[in-house]
Amino acid sequence: MSIRLNPYFVFNGNTREAVSFYEKALHGSVVAITTFGDLPEDPEHPLTDEMKTLVMHAHLKVGNADLMFSDTFPGTSHQADGHTVQIAIHPAEEADAREIFAALEDGGQVVMPLQKTDWSPLYGIVKDKFGVTFQVNVPGEE
């Protein structure tokens, strides 16, 4: 069996901002952004102008990884605590790790500063301004 997994982030109306932030912080490339307004209109479920601008689906390519995003549909509950799932990033170079960590830290909070550990020459944990927790880990020698 062959299987691939990718994170899918759900935000509460600020997906465009998040995609732009991660595109810069993680040196990604936006593949596509589709809004709810891009879908064919459904007279049974009309959308307000504000709803039409929300992101239904966005795709960001980061290296070989695919990150996907969406806004919560208006009227649907949204809960983000950032603790259930954490994203691990494994840049090969310490300079890249420092740059990514600093970008994610902007407007966020350092949980564990970048430092040498038993398993890595440079490891740290940061919660970004959207409440998503990232582990930045430079692979150690094997």
Side-chain angles (χ1 to χ4, degrees):
M1 174 195 312
S2 176
I3 191 167
R4 243 182 34 163
L5 300 174
N6 66 274
Y8 203 112
F9 299 91
V10 179
F11 293 98
N12 195 20
N14 58 342
T15 293
R16 278 189 197 278
E17 178 187 356
V19 170
S20 178
F21 176 78
Y22 294 126
E23 178 184 27
K24 290 179 184 103
L26 304 176
H27 304 280
S29 176
V30 175
V31 175
I33 296 179
T34 304
T35 66
F36 287 105
D38 292 333
L39 300 174
E41 291 198 34
D42 179 355
E44 299 285 320
H45 304 282
L47 299 176
T48 65
D49 288 342
E50 179 186 351
M51 293 163 84
K52 289 178 183 179
T53 65
L54 295 175
V55 174
M56 184 198 76
H57 177 76
H59 179 181
L60 181 68
K61 191 76 170 173
V62 178
N64 292 328
D66 295 293
L67 304 182
M68 299 191 181
F69 305 82
S70 179
D71 279 315
T72 302
F73 193 75
T76 309
S77 66
H78 179 268
Q79 180 181 4
D81 73 7
H83 294 290
T84 307
V85 175
Q86 296 184 6
I87 306 299
I89 301 174
H90 307 282
E93 303 296 325
E94 288 186 30
D96 293 336
R98 289 181 195 287
E99 181 181 346
I100 290 168
F101 195 90
L104 292 170
E105 178 184 0
D106 184 23
Q109 169 189 354
V110 173
V111 176
M112 178 181 172
L114 282 171
Q115 59 191 276
K116 183 178 181 350
T117 64
D118 291 340
W119 64 88
S120 171
L122 200 58
Y123 174 84
I125 303 171
V126 60
K127 182 184 278 192
D128 72 17
K129 65 183 178 182
F130 299 103
V132 177
T133 302
F134 288 84
Q135 297 179 32
V136 179
N137 179 64
V138 175
E141 298 295 320
E142 293 188 21

